[in-house]
Amino acid sequence: MVDWNALKSFLAIAESGSLAGAARELGVNHSTMFRRLQSYEAELGGRLFDKIDNRYLLTPLGEELLDQGRQIATRFDDIERRLVGKDVQPKGRVRITAPYNIANRFLPQALAPLRDAYPEIEIEVLSSNLELNMNSRIADIAIRATASPPEHLIGRKLISIPWGIFAAPDYLDGQAPLDSLQNLAAHRLIGGAGLMLNLPAFAWLEQHYPAQIATRCDELTAMSHFAEQGQGLAFLPLDQAREGIVCLAEFPPGKSSELWLLTHPDLRRTERIRLVMEQLTEYFRGIVFPSSG
C-alpha cells in the first residue's frame, strides 16, 4: 500500500532540494518532514537522498522512485480534483495563491463579504511571488500577474495595471524635475534583480540607464520601501501605490501588468470555488487606480 504522506514528502524534498522547502510547501514543520523521510527510507530499506552542501540530492534508489512517484501523485491528484469538483455545497476550504502585495493589500477587503454571506467557506491564503503547481492541489485559485497564463488552467483577466514612477513625497526637493523620461539620467534609480529583469520595466532600465541604478531588488514591495526612504525612483505597477510614496509620472516602458484569476478545469463547477472567484472578479474589476500627480 502507498503511504501517500510519505510519497508526497519524498516528492516535495526532491523538488525543493531541502527539508525546509518541502515542509513549507506541505504546511508541516521541519521535524515532521524529517521523521517522514526517515520512516519512508526505513520502509524501503535504503537511502533516498544524500545530503551534500546542505542540499538533498537523490540517490540511485531515489532516482528510481522519482518517476514512479510522480505518476502515482498525478493519479492521486486527478482523483482528488474530480471528487472536489463534484462538491456543490458552499462550504469547505479554498486555497488562494497570490503575489505578496495583492495578498496583503487587496485580498482582506476583497474577501470580507464572503465571511458574512458564506461563513462555512474557509479561506487559506498562500502569499508567494512564485508560481505554485496548481495540478498538485497546493492551491485551488491563483491570482497571477502575467501576459500568458498557463494553458492547462482556466480563468479570466481581471484588470490591466499601468506602471508609474514612484518616489518619497519630498524626493524631488533639490532634484531635477521629472517632466520626461530623458530626465532619468539625473536621478538615482531602483532597478530589478533576479527574475525582475524579465519584466519590461527593468529590462528597459538596464538598457537605457544602467549607470543611474543605485539599488537593485528582486521584489516590488522592497523597491517601494527603498523609494520611501528617499533612495531613488522606483518603477512599479500602480497597485503598489500607498502612503509614503507618490506616483510622479506614468512609465510607458513598463507596459501594463495583466492580473489573471485562474483555477484548474476540474474545479470550475465546485460551488465554493465558483463563489470565491465571482467575489474576486467583482472586487478587482471595480478598482480604479489613481493617476500620477
Side-chain angles (χ1 to χ4, degrees):
M1 175 165 307
V2 176
D3 184 335
W4 181 222
N5 283 329
L7 182 59
K8 281 199 300 185
S9 299
F10 162 72
L11 293 173
I13 297 169
E15 292 289 339
S16 67
S18 71
L19 291 182
R24 285 194 299 271
E25 179 178 333
L26 298 182
V28 300
N29 59 45
H30 186 279
S31 60
T32 297
M33 188 61 60
F34 182 70
R35 287 196 303 271
R36 285 183 183 177
L37 176 59
Q38 281 193 318
S39 176
Y40 201 32
E41 288 180 329
E43 179 182 343
L44 295 175
R47 288 183 299 105
L48 297 172
F49 298 96
D50 288 322
K51 188 176 181 182
I52 301 174
D53 294 332
N54 291 321
R55 296 282 297 175
Y56 277 73
L57 305 179
L58 289 165
T59 63
L61 176 61
E63 293 280 3
E64 183 180 342
L65 178 62
L66 183 60
D67 287 340
Q68 298 177 23
R70 284 173 171 166
Q71 293 174 22
I72 294 170
T74 298
R75 289 197 291 271
F76 267 101
D77 291 333
D78 287 344
I79 292 169
E80 186 177 9
R81 279 197 309 272
R82 292 179 189 280
L83 290 175
V84 171
K86 296 180 182 299
D87 191 349
V88 296
Q89 298 299 318
K91 63 181 180 180
R93 180 168 19 173
V94 178
R95 301 179 183 92
I96 305 171
T97 177
Y100 292 123
N101 187 58
I102 296 295
N104 297 340
R105 297 270 313 283
F106 296 99
L107 286 190
Q109 184 175 357
L111 295 171
L114 283 172
R115 180 58 53 211
D116 294 331
Y118 303 101
E120 293 188 82
I121 293 180
E122 175 190 347
I123 300 296
E124 182 175 318
V125 176
L126 308 173
S127 303
S128 176
N129 289 338
L130 301 176
E131 293 189 2
L132 299 183
N133 183 0
M134 298 285 286
N135 283 335
S136 65
R137 287 296 319 280
I138 294 174
D140 304 306
I141 295 172
I143 301 175
R144 290 181 178 167
T146 179
S148 54
E151 293 182 358
H152 67 282
L153 301 179
I154 62 169
R156 63 202 72 160
K157 187 174 83 169
L158 296 174
I159 48 174
S160 292
I161 307 175
W163 281 61
I165 304 174
F166 288 81
D170 57 355
Y171 170 82
L172 288 181
D173 293 347
Q175 299 275 359
L178 190 66
D179 50 18
S180 77
L181 292 182
Q182 292 180 345
N183 294 131
L184 292 177
H187 292 269
R188 297 188 307 275
L189 309 181
I190 300 169
L195 294 177
M196 288 288 105
L197 294 175
N198 294 329
L199 298 180
F202 305 112
W204 188 91
L205 288 177
E206 294 291 341
Q207 180 181 355
H208 292 87
Y209 295 103
Q212 283 71 40
I213 298 176
T215 305
R216 289 178 170 84
C217 302
D218 68 351
E219 201 275 321
L220 296 172
T221 305
M223 296 177 191
S224 74
H225 284 278
F226 274 91
E228 184 177 357
Q229 295 303 313
Q231 297 193 34
L233 300 176
F235 303 84
L236 304 167
L238 295 190
D239 67 283
Q240 291 280 344
R242 58 178 177 79
E243 290 187 28
I245 54 175
V246 294
C247 184
L248 305 174
E250 295 182 1
F251 187 56
K255 301 186 178 179
S256 291
S257 297
E258 295 183 355
L259 199 65
W260 284 78
L261 183 65
L262 304 165
T263 190
H264 195 281
D266 290 344
L267 302 179
R268 65 187 183 278
R269 292 189 178 89
T270 304
E271 183 67 3
R272 64 180 181 274
I273 292 173
R274 185 188 67 80
L275 290 169
V276 172
M277 291 188 71
E278 286 185 356
Q279 175 61 32
L280 291 173
T281 300
E282 179 181 355
Y283 174 83
F284 279 100
R285 288 184 176 170
I287 292 176
V288 177
F289 291 104
S291 59
S292 62

Short mmCIF file of all heavy atoms in Angstrom, two decimals, residues 67-99:
data_model
loop_
_atom_site.label_atom_id
_atom_site.label_comp_id
_atom_site.label_asym_id
_atom_site.label_seq_id
_atom_site.Cartn_x
_atom_site.Cartn_y
_atom_site.Cartn_z
N ASP A 67 10.31 8.94 -10.83
CA ASP A 67 9.35 8.89 -11.94
C ASP A 67 8.08 8.15 -11.56
O ASP A 67 6.96 8.59 -11.87
CB ASP A 67 9.99 8.22 -13.16
CG ASP A 67 11.02 9.11 -13.84
OD1 ASP A 67 10.95 10.33 -13.62
OD2 ASP A 67 11.87 8.60 -14.57
N GLN A 68 8.24 7.01 -10.86
CA GLN A 68 7.06 6.25 -10.44
C GLN A 68 6.23 7.06 -9.45
O GLN A 68 5.00 7.06 -9.51
CB GLN A 68 7.49 4.93 -9.80
CG GLN A 68 8.25 4.01 -10.74
CD GLN A 68 8.72 2.75 -10.03
OE1 GLN A 68 8.17 2.35 -9.02
NE2 GLN A 68 9.74 2.11 -10.58
N GLY A 69 6.93 7.75 -8.54
CA GLY A 69 6.22 8.57 -7.55
C GLY A 69 5.43 9.68 -8.19
O GLY A 69 4.29 9.98 -7.79
N ARG A 70 6.00 10.32 -9.21
CA ARG A 70 5.28 11.40 -9.90
C ARG A 70 4.03 10.87 -10.60
O ARG A 70 3.00 11.53 -10.61
CB ARG A 70 6.21 12.08 -10.90
CG ARG A 70 7.23 13.02 -10.25
CD ARG A 70 8.23 13.53 -11.25
NE ARG A 70 9.07 14.58 -10.67
CZ ARG A 70 10.19 15.03 -11.23
NH1 ARG A 70 10.61 14.50 -12.39
NH2 ARG A 70 10.89 15.98 -10.66
N GLN A 71 4.14 9.70 -11.19
CA GLN A 71 2.97 9.12 -11.85
C GLN A 71 1.86 8.81 -10.86
O GLN A 71 0.68 9.07 -11.11
CB GLN A 71 3.39 7.84 -12.60
CG GLN A 71 4.32 8.09 -13.79
CD GLN A 71 4.81 6.80 -14.40
OE1 GLN A 71 4.19 5.74 -14.24
NE2 GLN A 71 5.92 6.86 -15.12
N ILE A 72 2.25 8.24 -9.71
CA ILE A 72 1.26 7.94 -8.67
C ILE A 72 0.63 9.23 -8.16
O ILE A 72 -0.59 9.32 -7.96
CB ILE A 72 1.92 7.16 -7.51
CG1 ILE A 72 2.36 5.77 -8.00
CG2 ILE A 72 0.95 7.03 -6.33
CD1 ILE A 72 3.23 5.03 -7.00
N ALA A 73 1.46 10.26 -7.93
CA ALA A 73 0.96 11.54 -7.41
C ALA A 73 -0.03 12.16 -8.38
O ALA A 73 -1.06 12.71 -7.98
CB ALA A 73 2.13 12.49 -7.16
N THR A 74 0.27 12.08 -9.68
CA THR A 74 -0.64 12.63 -10.68
C THR A 74 -2.00 11.93 -10.62
O THR A 74 -3.05 12.58 -10.70
CB THR A 74 -0.04 12.47 -12.08
OG1 THR A 74 1.18 13.22 -12.14
CG2 THR A 74 -0.99 12.98 -13.15
N ARG A 75 -1.99 10.60 -10.45
CA ARG A 75 -3.27 9.88 -10.37
C ARG A 75 -4.04 10.26 -9.11
O ARG A 75 -5.26 10.44 -9.15
CB ARG A 75 -3.01 8.37 -10.41
CG ARG A 75 -2.55 7.88 -11.80
CD ARG A 75 -2.71 6.38 -11.93
NE ARG A 75 -1.77 5.65 -11.09
CZ ARG A 75 -0.56 5.28 -11.47
NH1 ARG A 75 -0.13 5.58 -12.69
NH2 ARG A 75 0.24 4.60 -10.66
N PHE A 76 -3.33 10.37 -7.98
CA PHE A 76 -4.00 10.79 -6.74
C PHE A 76 -4.61 12.17 -6.90
O PHE A 76 -5.75 12.42 -6.48
CB PHE A 76 -2.99 10.81 -5.58
CG PHE A 76 -2.94 9.52 -4.80
CD1 PHE A 76 -1.92 8.61 -5.00
CD2 PHE A 76 -3.89 9.24 -3.84
CE1 PHE A 76 -1.86 7.42 -4.29
CE2 PHE A 76 -3.85 8.06 -3.11
CZ PHE A 76 -2.82 7.15 -3.33
N ASP A 77 -3.84 13.10 -7.49
CA ASP A 77 -4.33 14.47 -7.65
C ASP A 77 -5.54 14.51 -8.57
O ASP A 77 -6.50 15.25 -8.33
CB ASP A 77 -3.22 15.36 -8.21
CG ASP A 77 -2.11 15.61 -7.21
OD1 ASP A 77 -2.39 15.54 -6.00
OD2 ASP A 77 -0.96 15.86 -7.63
N ASP A 78 -5.52 13.71 -9.65
CA ASP A 78 -6.68 13.66 -10.55
C ASP A 78 -7.92 13.20 -9.82
O ASP A 78 -9.01 13.76 -9.98
CB ASP A 78 -6.38 12.72 -11.73
CG ASP A 78 -5.40 13.31 -12.72
OD1 ASP A 78 -5.18 14.54 -12.66
OD2 ASP A 78 -4.85 12.55 -13.53
N ILE A 79 -7.76 12.14 -9.02
CA ILE A 79 -8.90 11.61 -8.27
C ILE A 79 -9.43 12.66 -7.29
O ILE A 79 -10.64 12.90 -7.18
CB ILE A 79 -8.50 10.33 -7.51
CG1 ILE A 79 -8.21 9.19 -8.51
CG2 ILE A 79 -9.59 9.92 -6.53
CD1 ILE A 79 -7.57 7.98 -7.87
N GLU A 80 -8.50 13.32 -6.58
CA GLU A 80 -8.92 14.31 -5.58
C GLU A 80 -9.64 15.48 -6.23
O GLU A 80 -10.68 15.94 -5.73
CB GLU A 80 -7.69 14.81 -4.81
CG GLU A 80 -8.05 15.73 -3.66
CD GLU A 80 -6.83 16.15 -2.85
OE1 GLU A 80 -5.71 15.87 -3.30
OE2 GLU A 80 -7.02 16.78 -1.80
N ARG A 81 -9.12 15.98 -7.35
CA ARG A 81 -9.77 17.10 -8.02
C ARG A 81 -11.15 16.73 -8.51
O ARG A 81 -12.10 17.51 -8.42
CB ARG A 81 -8.93 17.58 -9.20
CG ARG A 81 -7.78 18.50 -8.82
CD ARG A 81 -7.27 19.25 -10.04
NE ARG A 81 -6.98 18.35 -11.15
CZ ARG A 81 -5.81 17.74 -11.33
NH1 ARG A 81 -4.83 17.96 -10.47
NH2 ARG A 81 -5.62 16.95 -12.36
N ARG A 82 -11.29 15.52 -9.04
CA ARG A 82 -12.60 15.10 -9.54
C ARG A 82 -13.62 14.98 -8.40
O ARG A 82 -14.79 15.34 -8.56
CB ARG A 82 -12.48 13.79 -10.30
CG ARG A 82 -11.71 13.92 -11.60
CD ARG A 82 -11.58 12.61 -12.34
NE ARG A 82 -10.66 12.74 -13.45
CZ ARG A 82 -10.97 13.27 -14.64
NH1 ARG A 82 -12.20 13.73 -14.83
NH2 ARG A 82 -10.08 13.35 -15.60
N LEU A 83 -13.17 14.48 -7.26
CA LEU A 83 -14.08 14.38 -6.11
C LEU A 83 -14.46 15.76 -5.61
O LEU A 83 -15.63 16.03 -5.32
CB LEU A 83 -13.41 13.57 -5.00
CG LEU A 83 -13.24 12.07 -5.28
CD1 LEU A 83 -12.46 11.42 -4.14
CD2 LEU A 83 -14.58 11.38 -5.47
N VAL A 84 -13.45 16.65 -5.49
CA VAL A 84 -13.74 18.01 -5.03
C VAL A 84 -14.64 18.72 -6.02
O VAL A 84 -15.54 19.49 -5.66
CB VAL A 84 -12.42 18.79 -4.84
CG1 VAL A 84 -12.71 20.27 -4.57
CG2 VAL A 84 -11.63 18.21 -3.67
N GLY A 85 -14.43 18.46 -7.31
CA GLY A 85 -15.21 19.11 -8.35
C GLY A 85 -16.69 18.77 -8.32
O GLY A 85 -17.51 19.46 -8.90
N LYS A 86 -17.06 17.70 -7.65
CA LYS A 86 -18.46 17.31 -7.53
C LYS A 86 -19.14 17.98 -6.34
O LYS A 86 -20.33 17.80 -6.12
CB LYS A 86 -18.58 15.79 -7.42
CG LYS A 86 -18.09 15.03 -8.65
CD LYS A 86 -18.23 13.53 -8.46
CE LYS A 86 -17.69 12.77 -9.66
NZ LYS A 86 -18.41 13.08 -10.90
N ASP A 87 -18.37 18.72 -5.54
CA ASP A 87 -18.91 19.34 -4.34
C ASP A 87 -19.77 20.54 -4.72
O ASP A 87 -19.30 21.48 -5.35
CB ASP A 87 -17.74 19.79 -3.45
CG ASP A 87 -18.20 20.21 -2.07
OD1 ASP A 87 -19.41 20.35 -1.85
OD2 ASP A 87 -17.32 20.41 -1.21
N VAL A 88 -21.05 20.50 -4.37
CA VAL A 88 -21.97 21.58 -4.73
C VAL A 88 -22.39 22.39 -3.51
O VAL A 88 -23.28 23.23 -3.61
CB VAL A 88 -23.22 21.02 -5.45
CG1 VAL A 88 -22.83 20.38 -6.77
CG2 VAL A 88 -23.96 20.02 -4.57
N GLN A 89 -21.77 22.17 -2.36
CA GLN A 89 -22.13 22.91 -1.15
C GLN A 89 -21.19 24.10 -0.97
O GLN A 89 -19.98 23.99 -1.18
CB GLN A 89 -22.03 21.99 0.07
CG GLN A 89 -22.98 20.81 0.04
CD GLN A 89 -24.43 21.24 0.00
OE1 GLN A 89 -24.82 22.17 0.70
NE2 GLN A 89 -25.22 20.58 -0.81
N PRO A 90 -21.71 25.26 -0.57
CA PRO A 90 -20.86 26.44 -0.35
C PRO A 90 -20.15 26.37 0.99
O PRO A 90 -20.37 27.19 1.89
CB PRO A 90 -21.84 27.61 -0.42
CG PRO A 90 -23.12 27.02 0.08
CD PRO A 90 -23.14 25.58 -0.40
N LYS A 91 -19.31 25.36 1.17
CA LYS A 91 -18.56 25.24 2.41
C LYS A 91 -17.27 24.48 2.13
O LYS A 91 -17.13 23.80 1.10
CB LYS A 91 -19.37 24.50 3.47
CG LYS A 91 -19.73 23.06 3.11
CD LYS A 91 -20.56 22.41 4.21
CE LYS A 91 -20.92 20.97 3.84
NZ LYS A 91 -21.73 20.32 4.90
N GLY A 92 -16.32 24.61 3.05
CA GLY A 92 -15.04 23.95 2.89
C GLY A 92 -13.93 24.94 2.62
O GLY A 92 -14.13 26.15 2.54
N ARG A 93 -12.73 24.41 2.49
CA ARG A 93 -11.54 25.26 2.34
C ARG A 93 -11.28 25.62 0.88
O ARG A 93 -11.42 24.80 -0.01
CB ARG A 93 -10.32 24.54 2.92
CG ARG A 93 -9.04 25.36 2.81
CD ARG A 93 -7.88 24.83 3.59
NE ARG A 93 -7.99 23.43 3.95
CZ ARG A 93 -7.02 22.74 4.52
NH1 ARG A 93 -5.87 23.33 4.80
NH2 ARG A 93 -7.16 21.48 4.84
N VAL A 94 -10.88 26.88 0.67
CA VAL A 94 -10.45 27.36 -0.64
C VAL A 94 -9.07 27.97 -0.47
O VAL A 94 -8.89 28.95 0.25
CB VAL A 94 -11.43 28.40 -1.22
CG1 VAL A 94 -10.91 28.92 -2.57
CG2 VAL A 94 -12.81 27.81 -1.39
N ARG A 95 -8.08 27.37 -1.15
CA ARG A 95 -6.71 27.87 -1.07
C ARG A 95 -6.46 28.83 -2.23
O ARG A 95 -6.66 28.47 -3.39
CB ARG A 95 -5.71 26.72 -1.13
CG ARG A 95 -5.87 25.68 -0.03
CD ARG A 95 -4.83 24.58 -0.22
NE ARG A 95 -4.96 23.51 0.75
CZ ARG A 95 -5.68 22.41 0.57
NH1 ARG A 95 -6.33 22.25 -0.58
NH2 ARG A 95 -5.75 21.48 1.49
N ILE A 96 -6.00 30.03 -1.89
CA ILE A 96 -5.74 31.06 -2.90
C ILE A 96 -4.26 31.43 -2.85
O ILE A 96 -3.75 31.79 -1.78
CB ILE A 96 -6.59 32.32 -2.65
CG1 ILE A 96 -8.07 31.96 -2.56
CG2 ILE A 96 -6.34 33.36 -3.73
CD1 ILE A 96 -8.95 33.11 -2.10
N THR A 97 -3.57 31.36 -3.98
CA THR A 97 -2.21 31.85 -4.03
C THR A 97 -2.20 33.18 -4.78
O THR A 97 -2.88 33.34 -5.81
CB THR A 97 -1.26 30.84 -4.72
OG1 THR A 97 0.05 31.42 -4.81
CG2 THR A 97 -1.73 30.47 -6.11
N ALA A 98 -1.46 34.14 -4.25
CA ALA A 98 -1.41 35.48 -4.84
C ALA A 98 -0.06 36.11 -4.51
O ALA A 98 0.56 35.77 -3.50
CB ALA A 98 -2.54 36.35 -4.29
N PRO A 99 0.40 37.04 -5.35
CA PRO A 99 1.63 37.77 -5.03
C PRO A 99 1.50 38.50 -3.69
O PRO A 99 0.39 38.83 -3.27
CB PRO A 99 1.77 38.76 -6.19
CG PRO A 99 0.97 38.17 -7.30
CD PRO A 99 -0.17 37.45 -6.63
#
